[in-house]
Amino acid sequence: MSALKDRWISSLVFLLFCASSIPKCGSASLQQEPSPQHYFSVLEAGKTSLAFFTPSVSPGAQPFLEQIESSAEVLQDYGVSVVKVNCPKEDVSRYCGKENALRKAFLFRGNRLIREFPTDALFDVNSIVANVLFALLFNEVKYVETLADLENIENVLKGKSNMVFAYVPATGTAEHRAVMEAAFVYGTIHQFVLTTEAALLKATSHDDPDVSSAWLLFCHCQQATDPAQPCRRTALAQPLTLLNIHRHLKLMGAPLVTEVAEDPEKISTVHLQLGLPLVFILSQKETYEADRRTAEFVAWQLLGKAGVALLSRDLVDLNVLHRSNVALKTPDEGMPIQYLVLEDTDEVITLVEDKNKVKQIQQDEQEEEEEDEDEQENTNQDIQDDQVVEAVSRDKKRELPLEQILVLTEENFHSSFSEALTVVLFYASWEAVSLAVLRSYSEVAAHLKGTPGVLLSRVNCWDWPGLCSQENVTQFPTIRLYKEGQQSVTYRGMWGAEELSSFILLSQVSCPLKLATLDEAEGYLRGEFPSELSSHHHTSLLGVFSTATSEAKEAFEEAGNILSGHVRMGMYFEDDALALSQKYSVSPPALLLARSRGRSVEGISLSKHSLQDMVQMIRYELLDIFPEITVPNLPQYLQLGKPFLILFSAGDISQVESKEMLKLAKGRPQQAFVACWLNLKKTPVGHGILRMYFSTTPPLPVLLWVNLHAGGQVFKFPSGQSITEMNILSWLEKLQAGLEIPSSTLAEEDWKPPLPAYDFLQMMEPPVPELSPQPGDSPAQHPPKSPGGDPAGGDTATREEPSQESTAEEFGSPGRDLRGTAPRLAARDKQGKRHSEL
């Protein structure tokens, strides 16, 4: 029924277009009435007519008469008759009086007057048709003047219907006529909105549009189910004619992505029928979800320019290179389909927009094949640049103790969930990073062996891709925590066994933990925790709230939901909360920080109650005053964006140095820098850092000022002075005054692997599946080198929320993309030597 309706609309538009293009014979459809009395007596209910009243002799009205007579046949196609009514000389009524004198035309529906037009507004056929249809469709076509009016209409239409927004520089033009004729046909399907305000057009566009030309935007409001989500807009790139508008609306109504399972030579879509090319994204079962998202991303970019189809390799036997991931079919008869290997979605878009791109890509592929052959002959590369791959390859014969980890499949995945906390590692059995994390995971299993309420499990996504796809796992390794009746949580922290164990144990307890009595609250501050928390030496944080501080209490609870697994948080909001907070010289709402199991409790007033401020404040307050810098905690301190006053030591620092540095960290200047220390025995990477700062490792301990965020200058504390608070403050004053010379300056360069990547994928048998392009892929970006020698990164966990289709939206989480199982469409160098994305 829908296809029949589409064909009927297409036929009607085509007939209307043809009718408007054929020269008219003038008065063939013009009706004439001898008098107004006779005209009004024969009007039929529901019938529409455009009437003009003229004396028997009126030489000055001849130009208007010619134009309105020429429009008679066009208006007849829309059910509007054009009538010339002769006025007797003695008739001085409203329509035939001297005040009219052919200065107005009148639009009637039956006996009811709909609109009267000044004849100077009906200066040609276009203006007559446009104005008449605008009047007839007054309730269907909305006219807007401000951005607020347009957004109100969009908000009403979201999730219900699409909108066609047109801008014309002036009414009565050919473009105005084309828009109104399209609205006459498609007005029951889409909401048409019209404006002549140039400022409104500019407000709806990120570019600077030419307001002297007409514009038409198709607004995809039907897909915007979220009220806060804006409607996508697709502009008509051709001039505003009835045929171009019809073509554009046909394209907008076609499926965004067509799934095909037959020979591409036999495929015909509306795009090919309208003279546009069709792009095929070659897919397979293992990577279907990823390929589908890629195809949708490309389709949105090429909407109105080309069609996009998802072609399944599993269902069609293609006699092409297995690594080909894109095909292009043009509407030209006899032209063969081009099968190509593209690296990113930008190349797909350029492929459509630049016809010379196909030949260039084919030449590049031939050159790359020759380079690959040359590289295979070079057997001297014995070193792998990626330490993870090297480590896994070196220890590949070592058996991991995985007895404590439950193997999950499609059959037992959901049935394994219970009131216990189920931890699931999604991984690929052949991939290096997955195997490295599996090693850490086995250590976690050994550490948590016998822990009640915790079940560790794993899913091999290489064996169960459908299960991983069903769970929306698009990258591996990925660790998720499941508990019956609760939303799953994705772990986004460091992959070390200690960090994983801590996260799992902390996730067992409610965050924040609600304390019912004053004794429980004070015991919590003293270090009396539930058994799940007893083995962790985190700083404890207790939120204290009264009944009058509900807003802060709610923000604190939401912050606990976000920080769950990383922070030990408690909450007390009983009647005697005021007494508890006053004991530590604060008033509710307040935070109480208990360091060293309650030996030191600090009270902090909560002045900001928003969720973002609450999370940021908690993270900042939980940082140690004088921390020991390690690889896992370095990112937290780098994110502060402050210089580092860092003491390098060959072991534990002395009590005297620790006391002096702690006094300095607690002093007034603490807001300006991070006072910290690094133990080279626990963090050996510190040796490499010192060698970068100096040609040789200086005698330890050594105190340095490192400003990574402004110039990269490194200053060395004078070796002849003792490390005391007074001496350090005096030295810092000289630094600020510019009286000290830096020992070295760090170069601003990216951290990159020293050697070309070891492509272990090419060594796998059988060959891994080829993949299709994906939106937003780019090579791994390495941040500048830090004092700790490790790139900065976050370590927070977030509760899973339903995500909107967009974008390649979640590719920033840790792990490798499932589509990384074969050469991906990534923005890589054209040279043969590429860096690994591990």
Side-chain angles (χ1 to χ4, degrees):
M1 185 67 183
S2 177
L4 182 61
K5 182 178 180 181
D6 287 343
R7 287 197 296 270
W8 179 84
I9 291 176
S10 300
S11 302
L12 177 58
V13 172
F14 180 74
L15 291 174
L16 290 176
F17 175 76
C18 294
S20 62
S21 304
I22 299 173
K24 307 297 186 297
C25 59
S27 58
S29 299
L30 181 64
Q31 300 180 21
Q32 299 199 32
E33 294 291 344
S35 67
Q37 292 79 7
H38 187 269
Y39 167 67
F40 288 116
S41 65
V42 297
L43 287 177
E44 300 181 30
K47 297 293 184 180
T48 306
S49 60
L50 177 67
F52 61 95
F53 299 80
T54 175
S56 300
V57 180
S58 181
Q62 191 61 33
F64 168 73
L65 294 177
E66 292 176 357
Q67 295 299 324
I68 202 165
E69 289 175 0
S70 299
S71 67
E73 282 197 22
V74 180
L75 290 176
Q76 190 177 38
D77 294 331
Y78 298 101
V80 180
S81 58
V82 179
V83 184
K84 175 184 176 183
V85 182
N86 295 315
C87 293
K89 293 183 178 180
E90 64 277 5
D91 191 340
V92 293
S93 63
R94 171 186 178 184
Y95 301 107
C96 289
K98 290 183 179 181
E99 66 279 1
N100 181 33
L102 203 59
R103 289 197 297 268
K104 293 182 180 180
F106 302 89
L107 185 64
F108 293 94
R109 181 174 284 124
N111 289 313
R112 184 169 63 89
L113 176 63
I114 299 176
R115 183 73 55 86
E116 59 182 51
F117 305 100
T119 53
D120 55 1
L122 309 179
F123 45 86
D124 61 6
V125 175
N126 290 328
S127 62
I128 295 171
V129 175
N131 282 294
V132 168
L133 292 181
F134 198 11
L136 291 177
L137 301 175
F138 181 77
N139 294 322
E140 286 75 23
V141 179
K142 307 293 184 182
Y143 183 84
V144 294
E145 296 181 345
T146 65
L147 183 60
D149 294 337
L150 181 64
E151 290 176 345
N152 289 337
I153 296 175
E154 279 190 335
N155 291 335
V156 172
L157 294 176
K158 286 178 180 178
K160 302 175 184 177
S161 179
N162 297 318
M163 180 177 75
V164 180
F165 172 59
Y167 161 79
V168 292
T171 58
T173 59
E175 293 85 359
H176 183 205
R177 170 186 171 179
V179 171
M180 299 314 303
E181 288 181 316
F184 187 89
V185 178
Y186 291 97
T188 57
I189 304 173
H190 310 302
Q191 174 64 64
F192 278 73
V193 177
L194 181 71
T195 189
T196 57
E197 300 294 331
L200 177 55
L201 175 65
K202 292 183 177 180
T204 59
S205 175
H206 296 295
D207 303 321
D208 188 14
D210 180 11
V211 296
S212 63
S213 303
W215 289 76
L216 185 136
L217 300 174
F218 187 89
C219 305
H220 306 265
C221 296
Q222 194 170 13
Q223 298 181 6
T225 55
D226 185 353
Q229 178 185 356
C231 300
R232 288 177 180 262
R233 294 169 179 169
T234 305
L236 171 62
Q238 291 79 31
L240 252 67
T241 64
L242 178 58
L243 190 58
N244 285 340
I245 295 175
H246 163 65
R247 184 172 177 268
H248 191 63
L249 296 184
K250 287 289 291 182
L251 293 173
M252 297 303 103
L256 183 64
V257 175
T258 304
E259 296 195 28
V260 296
E262 58 180 311
D263 187 352
E265 295 284 359
K266 301 177 182 178
I267 300 296
S268 178
T269 66
V270 65
H271 305 86
L272 294 170
Q273 296 166 9
L274 293 176
L276 297 179
L278 182 62
V279 176
F280 293 92
I281 304 296
L282 306 188
S283 176
Q284 54 196 0
K285 182 173 63 176
E286 292 85 352
T287 58
Y288 170 79
E289 291 298 333
D291 299 331
R292 175 78 190 185
R293 286 194 297 272
T294 297
E296 290 176 354
F297 176 84
V298 173
W300 278 116
Q301 303 301 310
L302 295 178
L303 196 58
K305 302 176 183 177
V308 176
L310 195 62
L311 177 61
S312 174
R313 283 183 176 272
D314 303 308
L315 302 176
V316 181
D317 185 17
L318 297 176
N319 187 22
V320 296
L321 289 175
H322 190 60
R323 64 194 186 103
S324 298
N325 50 17
V326 171
L328 179 68
K329 183 177 184 179
T330 62
D332 305 322
E333 288 188 15
M335 289 295 294
I337 294 178
Q338 301 289 335
Y339 291 91
L340 308 164
V341 180
L342 301 186
E343 293 187 352
D344 57 34
T345 51
D346 289 339
E347 286 197 358
V348 182
I349 296 165
T350 306
L351 180 70
V352 172
E353 297 177 347
D354 185 359
K355 295 182 179 179
N356 297 323
K357 188 67 176 177
V358 177
K359 185 180 296 184
Q360 178 186 339
I361 290 174
Q362 291 173 333
Q363 291 175 353
D364 291 344
E365 287 179 9
Q366 184 176 0
E367 292 175 2
E368 281 195 21
E369 289 176 2
E370 294 174 357
E371 290 177 0
D372 290 342
E373 291 175 0
D374 294 339
E375 283 188 10
Q376 290 175 3
E377 294 175 0
N378 182 8
T379 59
N380 296 325
Q381 182 177 322
D382 298 325
I383 300 175
Q384 299 175 18
D385 71 321
D386 194 300
Q387 296 179 5
V388 176
V389 180
E390 184 182 7
V392 172
S393 300
R394 184 176 61 245
D395 300 333
K396 60 185 178 182
K397 294 184 179 180
R398 170 186 164 191
E399 291 189 8
L400 297 178
L402 303 177
E403 302 82 9
Q404 304 296 325
I405 303 175
L406 177 66
V407 177
L408 297 183
T409 66
E410 288 182 347
E411 287 75 19
N412 67 350
F413 182 81
H414 294 287
S415 61
S416 65
F417 297 161
S418 62
E419 293 184 359
L421 183 67
T422 304
V423 186
V424 184
L425 168 64
F426 298 90
Y427 70 104
S429 56
W430 54 265
E431 196 259 346
V433 178
S434 288
L435 295 179
V437 172
L438 189 60
R439 187 175 305 165
S440 294
Y441 199 58
S442 65
E443 295 174 11
V444 174
H447 178 69
L448 299 182
K449 182 179 180 181
T451 302
V454 177
L455 174 65
L456 267 64
S457 59
R458 57 191 171 103
V459 174
N460 187 350
C461 291
W462 190 247
D463 293 334
W464 303 101
L467 175 58
C468 296
S469 176
Q470 179 183 347
E471 290 301 307
N472 197 26
V473 175
T474 58
Q475 299 177 337
F476 52 77
T478 291
I479 290 181
R480 288 213 181 130
L481 277 63
Y482 294 82
K483 200 166 187 178
E484 191 174 27
Q486 298 182 14
Q487 199 171 29
S488 63
V489 179
T490 301
Y491 175 70
R492 304 190 189 279
M494 304 291 285
W495 292 115
E498 183 179 349
E499 292 78 11
L500 273 170
S501 300
S502 173
F503 179 80
I504 292 169
L505 290 177
L506 286 176
S507 297
Q508 281 187 281
V509 181
S510 299
C511 186
L513 181 65
K514 296 180 181 179
L515 306 171
T517 66
L518 187 60
D519 289 340
E520 286 184 5
E522 292 186 326
Y524 179 84
L525 293 174
R526 289 193 302 268
E528 300 171 5
F529 311 120
S531 58
E532 296 90 340
L533 304 179
S534 59
S535 62
H536 290 269
H537 304 287
H538 293 73
T539 297
S540 300
L541 185 147
L542 178 65
V544 183
F545 306 91
S546 64
T547 54
T549 58
S550 59
E551 181 182 352
K553 170 179 166 290
E554 292 174 0
F556 186 79
E557 287 183 281
E558 293 182 28
N561 188 44
I562 293 174
L563 298 173
S564 176
H566 294 285
V567 178
R568 187 163 57 197
M569 292 172 58
M571 183 171 66
Y572 187 67
F573 55 95
E574 301 301 327
D575 295 336
D576 49 2
L578 181 61
L580 178 63
S581 60
Q582 288 179 344
K583 180 178 178 180
Y584 300 99
S585 304
V586 288
S587 299
L591 299 181
L592 301 180
L593 270 72
R595 306 182 192 273
S596 304
R597 288 191 176 270
R599 288 193 292 270
S600 171
V601 178
E602 178 185 357
I604 303 170
S605 296
L606 286 174
S607 57
K608 298 180 179 179
H609 301 163
S610 70
L611 175 60
Q612 182 178 0
D613 292 334
M614 189 80 71
V615 172
Q616 184 176 357
M617 180 181 181
I618 291 172
R619 284 174 173 163
Y620 178 78
E621 293 297 340
L622 288 176
L623 295 177
D624 291 334
I625 298 174
F626 178 52
E628 177 187 355
I629 293 297
T630 62
V631 171
N633 72 10
L634 173 63
Q636 303 174 42
Y637 296 96
L638 279 178
Q639 288 173 356
L640 298 176
K642 299 177 181 180
F644 276 58
L645 180 66
I646 182 168
L647 178 64
F648 287 82
S649 172
D652 292 333
I653 57 177
S654 67
Q655 291 185 357
V656 175
E657 292 168 342
S658 176
K659 182 179 179 181
E660 292 296 324
M661 291 293 292
L662 193 58
K663 285 165 55 180
L664 183 71
K666 290 181 177 179
R668 293 180 61 187
Q670 65 171 313
Q671 302 296 330
F673 58 87
V674 176
C676 55
W677 69 289
L678 190 148
N679 185 347
L680 271 70
K681 285 188 176 180
K682 291 176 59 177
T683 312
V685 72
H687 290 286
I689 296 171
L690 288 176
R691 284 194 294 269
M692 176 173 286
Y693 293 167
F694 309 99
S695 56
T696 58
T697 303
L700 300 176
V702 59
L703 182 65
L704 303 177
W705 174 275
V706 184
N707 196 344
L708 289 168
H709 307 282
Q713 293 180 327
V714 179
F715 295 88
K716 179 177 175 292
F717 182 76
S719 56
Q721 296 185 24
S722 58
I723 298 176
T724 65
E725 180 187 16
M726 191 66 66
N727 289 341
I728 296 173
L729 288 175
S730 176
W731 177 59
L732 292 180
E733 289 178 0
K734 292 181 181 179
L735 290 183
Q736 293 178 353
L739 302 178
E740 292 286 329
I741 300 175
S743 302
S744 61
T745 301
L746 302 179
E748 294 184 3
E749 57 183 11
D750 291 338
W751 228 15
K752 294 182 178 179
L755 295 174
Y758 176 76
D759 193 357
F760 64 94
L761 292 170
Q762 296 297 328
M763 300 181 63
M764 293 185 58
E765 293 296 333
V768 290
E770 296 293 343
L771 303 168
S772 50
Q774 55 182 319
D777 262 353
S778 61
Q781 298 295 322
H782 302 273
K785 207 162 191 178
S786 63
D790 192 67
D795 65 341
T796 59
T798 55
R799 299 282 166 180
E800 286 201 340
E801 297 178 357
S803 60
Q804 297 178 359
E805 287 297 320
S806 60
T807 63
E809 338 26 84
E810 300 176 357
F811 298 145
S813 56
R816 273 184 75 79
D817 195 303
L818 280 175
R819 291 163 288 174
T821 55
R824 305 189 296 168
L825 288 186
R828 304 177 298 184
D829 294 335
K830 296 297 182 182
Q831 302 172 359
K833 302 182 183 297
R834 306 185 181 95
H835 292 300
S836 168
E837 292 186 7
L838 290 173

